[in-house]
Amino acid sequence: GIVMKTDLPQNKDSNLLSEKAVNIWRIRATIILVLFSFIDGALLVFMPITATVLGIAALIVYLSVIFIYCPALYRVCGYAVNKNIIIIENGLFFHYHTKINFSKVQYCVISQGPVQKIYGVCSLTFLTAGSSEKIIDISVTNAQKIKISVEE
C-alpha cells in the first residue's frame, strides 16, 4: 500500500513539504498544457478531428492532475530528519522510501527554479557515492538547516 506522511517517524524535526508545493506543481502542469496547446494548434490545421480529440483528452488529463494528482501527491510526500539519518518519502504511483545516513552524504546542493524562487521554496539534493536523492519544494530556511546538519 501507499505509505502516508503520517508513517514517517514523528519528532520535532519531522517535516512536510511546503504548502506551496501543490501550487508549484499546478503551475508546472499549466506550462506543459500551454506548450502542448501550441503543438495541438498546429496539428489543428492539418487534422482538425484528431487535434480536437487530443485537445479534449489533454484538458481531461490536465484537470485530473490539477484537482486529483497534485493534492494526492502532496499527501504522500515528506521527509524526516533524525539524529544521523534523513528519511525521504516520494511518489504516488511509484512510491519511494529512502533512508540516507549523514555519513554517506558527500555534499548537498540547494537549487531553485524560477517558479520555486517566486514561492520562496527550493529543492535539496543529497549526493552520495552511488546515488542522489532530492527533497522537493521545501522552504529555503529548512533546506539550509538540513544542509548545515548534514555537512557538520
Side-chain angles (χ1 to χ4, degrees), residues 69-120:
Y69 179 77
C70 289
L73 183 62
Y74 180 75
R75 285 192 296 276
V76 297
C77 290
Y79 66 95
V81 180
N82 289 330
K83 194 174 188 181
N84 293 317
I85 293 178
I86 248 183
I87 301 168
I88 303 171
E89 297 282 347
N90 201 358
L92 184 61
F93 298 116
F94 300 98
H95 192 77
Y96 300 97
H97 177 92
T98 308
K99 291 182 182 179
I100 305 170
N101 193 321
F102 284 4
S103 64
K104 302 291 183 190
V105 176
Q106 293 177 334
Y107 60 97
C108 302
V109 177
I110 296 175
S111 58
Q112 273 187 315
V115 177
Q116 288 177 316
K117 191 170 278 196
I118 291 168
Y119 278 92

Side-chain angles (χ1 to χ4, degrees), residues 37-58:
S37 297
F38 282 111
I39 296 167
D40 195 44
L43 186 62
L44 186 63
V45 174
F46 302 107
M47 298 187 287
I49 295 172
T50 304
T52 303
V53 170
L54 284 175
I56 291 169

Side-chain angles (χ1 to χ4, degrees), residues 135-151:
I135 301 174
I136 56 169
D137 299 329
I138 63 172
S139 72
V140 175
T141 54
N142 283 353
Q144 290 170 337
K145 288 177 187 174
I146 294 169
K147 183 177 179 181
I148 290 168
S149 298
V150 171
E151 291 178 345

